[in-house]
Amino acid sequence: MIDKRSHILDAAEELFAEYGFEGTSVRELARKAKVNIAMISYYFGSKEQLMKVLIQNRAGAFREQIATLNKEQLTPMDKMDLLIEYWVERIFSNQQFHRVLNREISLQQRSAFNKTISDIMLGNFEEVKKLIIDGQKKRVFRKVDVELTIASLIGTISKVVQSSYLSCKILNVDPDKNSIFNEKHKNRLKLHLKDLMRAHLLIK
Amino acid sequence: MIDKRSHILDAAEELFAEYGFEGTSVRELARKAKVNIAMISYYFGSKEQLMKVLIQNRAGAFREQIATLNKEQLTPMDKMDLLIEYWVERIFSNQQFHRVLNREISLQQRSAFNKTISDIMLGNFEEVKKLIIDGQKKRVFRKVDVELTIASLIGTISKVVQSSYLSCKILNVDPDKNSIFNEKHKNRLKLHLKDLMRAHLLIK
DNA sequence: TAAAATTAATTAAACGTTTGTTTAATTTTA
DNA sequence: TAAAATTAAACAAACGTTTAATTAATTTTA
C-alpha cells in the first residue's frame, strides 16, 4: 500500500512541527502513522531522508506562483496585494510545516536540511525581488531596501504563525477555536501587510 | 569554582543555538564547557532546568529599557527610533540566544519553556504597545494595527538573525567575516526599520 | 488459466549506541 | 576535618536502524 508512505509523511509533518525533528522519535512517528517502525527506513531510508522528502514535497511550488504573477498585466501595487494574498494563504494553510522549516533553518551546522531549505527560500526570494524592482523601475515604488522589505513581509507572517500560544495572547483570541482564529486573523494580517506596503512603497 | 557554572551556561547558549535543545547532548555540553558531565546535574539539577535558567538570565531586562524610554520627554517618532536602536542592538548582541528562543517557542506542547519564554516576550510586547498607542493619542501616529505593527518590527529583526547562511546569501555578504557583517548590516537594518515605521506610522 | 516463482510489503524482535542522570569515591577548599 | 567540588564509572531508558521471518501482491512459466 502506497498510502502508508503518505501516512508517514503526514504524521511526520505534524510531529516535527509539534516536537521538532530531534524531539520526535521514530517510534512516536510509527505509532501516529499506524505503521511498523521499520516502514520508515523501508520507505525513506532514514529519519533524515524522510525529512528531506517532506521539505521538497511541501515547498517549492510557491516560486512558480509568483513567477506567473510577475508576468501578468497589473500595476506593481496590485501585484504586491496579490503577492500578500498568496503568501499569507500559503503559509496559513501549512502553518505546522512552516514552523518546521523555520526551526530547522535556524540550526546552523548540524541540520542537514539547512541548505535544502535555504535554496528553496532563495528561489522564492528572487522572484519577489523582481516584483519590487519592477515597481521601482516603473517609478511607482520608492527606492526602498528591497531585501529587507521582503524580510519584513515574510518576517511578519512568520511571527504570527510561529507560536499559536503567543499569537493568541497578543491578538486577544481564544486559543481553542483555531479555525475561527485562522479565518479572522488571516484577513487582519493581509490588511495590515497591504497597508504597510502601500505606505512603505508608494511614492506620495 | 562558581565560574564553572557560567562556563556551562555559555556553552549551553552556544550549543543550543547551533544544534537545538534536543540536538545537544550533555556530553557535548560538558566537553565544550570543559567540565565533568555530572556538573550539569550538580549545578542545575537537569538539562531542562539549565535551559530555564538560561532563558531567565538572558531575557527580561529589555522591558525595563522600554519602560524607561516611555517615560522620557521625546516625540513618539523619536521614541520609535530609539526603540528600534535598542531592539536591534539587543538582538544582534545575543543572536545565538535569540535563535534559541525563537526555536523553542515554536514548539507547541512538549517544550517546557514555551510559557517561560512567552511570558517574557509578552511583557516586552505590552511596553512597546504603550509607546505606539501614546503616539496615536497624541495624533502623531496613524490608526494602524498596533499588534501587527509590533509583529512586523520584531519579525523583521528575527528574520535577519534567524539563519546566517540565508541572510548572507540574501544580503550578498561573505558568510565568514561575521564581525563586519554584523556592524554593517545592523545599521542597514536600523535604517530600514526607521524608514518603514516612519512611512507606516506618521500622519502625512 | 492454474501453478510456480519472484518481488514487494509488513512484522516482531533484537541490534549496538547514545541519551540524561546518579552513584560512590576522591580531591579540593575553607 | 568538615563541607564543597569534582571525578570516573555505571545506570536504565530511549534512540535510530537492521535483521530475519512472514504475508501479500505481482509476474512468469507451462
Side-chain angles (χ1 to χ4, degrees):
Chain A
M1 271 201 220
I2 191 83
D3 81 323
K4 287 210 175 188
R5 212 188 96 106
S6 54
H7 270 72
I8 296 173
L9 280 169
D10 290 343
E13 184 173 346
E14 217 168 303
L15 290 175
F16 288 166
E18 201 158 357
Y19 305 114
F21 177 75
E22 309 272 0
T24 302
S25 71
V26 289
R27 281 171 182 79
E28 285 177 278
L29 222 158
R31 201 183 320 127
K32 180 113 191 172
K34 288 170 183 170
V35 299
N36 186 277
I37 315 171
M39 298 309 287
I40 288 146
S41 293
Y42 179 75
Y43 278 122
F44 300 96
S46 70
K47 186 187 171 191
E48 259 200 31
Q49 283 176 270
L50 160 62
M51 177 64 165
K52 281 200 179 177
V53 171
L54 194 64
I55 291 168
Q56 269 145 355
N57 268 18
R58 297 281 204 271
F62 186 53
R63 180 176 190 161
E64 306 225 2
Q65 200 175 5
I66 319 167
T68 308
L69 177 63
N70 270 334
K71 284 170 202 147
E72 292 202 38
Q73 291 272 346
L74 293 167
T75 68
M77 202 60 226
D78 283 342
K79 285 187 185 177
M80 176 55 69
D81 282 346
L82 277 173
L83 171 74
I84 289 166
E85 201 79 32
Y86 294 161
W87 219 343
V88 172
E89 282 297 332
R90 185 169 285 269
I91 292 180
F92 264 69
S93 60
N94 296 288
Q95 283 193 42
Q96 299 205 78
F97 179 63
H98 190 79
R99 270 203 294 274
V100 181
L101 287 190
N102 273 335
R103 189 161 47 248
E104 293 307 322
I105 207 177
S106 75
L107 297 170
Q108 296 186 279
Q109 290 187 21
R110 170 129 107 174
S111 173
F113 325 118
N114 199 312
K115 217 187 149 343
T116 313
I117 302 168
S118 294
D119 289 343
I120 289 169
M121 286 187 174
L122 279 171
N124 301 343
F125 192 91
E126 283 307 315
E127 216 59 48
V128 176
K129 207 169 159 179
K130 282 181 200 165
L131 196 157
I132 297 177
I133 288 174
D134 178 65
Q136 290 179 324
K137 279 182 187 160
K138 287 174 178 159
R139 299 181 190 278
V140 180
F141 288 168
R142 289 168 57 221
K143 289 264 170 270
V144 297
D145 189 318
V146 180
E147 285 82 11
L148 288 179
T149 298
I150 302 174
S152 290
L153 268 173
I154 181 64
T156 306
I157 307 175
S158 294
K159 255 293 130 129
V160 172
V161 300
Q162 182 179 46
S163 163
S164 51
Y165 173 78
L166 190 62
S167 286
C168 289
K169 285 261 184 179
I170 284 170
L171 303 172
N172 260 326
V173 190
D174 181 13
D176 294 325
K177 297 178 184 175
N178 253 16
S179 56
I180 299 169
F181 161 68
N182 276 356
E183 263 321 299
K184 199 172 164 188
H185 293 83
K186 204 165 65 181
N187 289 323
R188 184 176 161 188
L189 177 58
K190 285 177 188 173
L191 282 175
H192 164 71
L193 285 177
K194 286 175 187 175
D195 182 52
L196 181 71
M197 284 301 117
R198 196 156 268 110
H200 178 57
L201 289 172
L202 283 184
I203 296 173
K204 307 294 147 26
Chain B
M1 272 202 218
I2 190 82
D3 82 324
K4 287 210 175 188
R5 212 187 98 106
S6 54
H7 270 72
I8 295 172
L9 280 168
D10 290 342
E13 183 173 346
E14 218 168 303
L15 289 175
F16 288 166
E18 202 158 356
Y19 305 114
F21 177 74
E22 309 272 1
T24 303
S25 71
V26 289
R27 281 172 182 79
E28 286 178 278
L29 222 158
R31 201 182 321 127
K32 180 111 191 173
K34 287 171 185 171
V35 299
N36 187 278
I37 316 170
M39 298 309 288
I40 289 147
S41 293
Y42 179 75
Y43 278 122
F44 300 96
S46 71
K47 186 188 170 191
E48 256 198 36
Q49 283 177 271
L50 160 62
M51 177 64 164
K52 282 201 178 176
V53 171
L54 195 63
I55 292 169
Q56 270 146 354
N57 268 19
R58 297 280 204 272
F62 187 52
R63 179 174 190 161
E64 306 225 0
Q65 199 175 5
I66 320 167
T68 308
L69 177 62
N70 269 333
K71 284 170 202 147
E72 292 201 37
Q73 290 273 344
L74 292 166
T75 68
M77 202 60 228
D78 283 342
K79 285 187 184 176
M80 177 54 69
D81 282 346
L82 277 173
L83 170 74
I84 290 166
E85 201 80 33
Y86 294 161
W87 218 343
V88 172
E89 282 297 332
R90 184 168 285 269
I91 293 180
F92 264 70
S93 61
N94 295 290
Q95 282 194 40
Q96 300 205 76
F97 180 62
H98 190 78
R99 270 202 294 273
V100 181
L101 288 190
N102 274 336
R103 189 161 48 248
E104 294 307 321
I105 207 177
S106 75
L107 296 171
Q108 296 186 278
Q109 291 186 22
R110 171 129 109 174
S111 173
F113 324 118
N114 198 312
K115 216 186 150 343
T116 313
I117 302 168
S118 293
D119 289 342
I120 289 170
M121 286 186 174
L122 278 170
N124 300 343
F125 192 91
E126 284 306 315
E127 215 60 47
V128 177
K129 208 170 158 179
K130 282 182 200 163
L131 195 157
I132 298 177
I133 288 174
D134 177 65
Q136 290 178 325
K137 279 182 187 160
K138 287 175 179 160
R139 298 182 190 279
V140 180
F141 288 168
R142 289 168 57 222
K143 289 264 170 270
V144 297
D145 190 318
V146 181
E147 286 81 11
L148 288 179
T149 298
I150 302 174
S152 290
L153 268 173
I154 182 63
T156 306
I157 307 175
S158 294
K159 255 294 129 141
V160 172
V161 301
Q162 182 179 46
S163 163
S164 50
Y165 173 78
L166 190 63
S167 285
C168 288
K169 284 262 184 179
I170 285 170
L171 302 173
N172 261 326
V173 190
D174 181 13
D176 294 325
K177 297 178 184 175
N178 253 15
S179 54
I180 299 170
F181 161 69
N182 275 355
E183 262 321 299
K184 198 172 163 189
H185 294 84
K186 204 165 64 180
N187 289 323
R188 184 177 161 187
L189 177 59
K190 285 178 189 172
L191 282 175
H192 164 72
L193 285 177
K194 287 176 188 175
D195 183 52
L196 181 71
M197 285 300 118
R198 195 157 268 110
H200 178 57
L201 289 173
L202 283 184
I203 295 172
K204 307 292 147 27

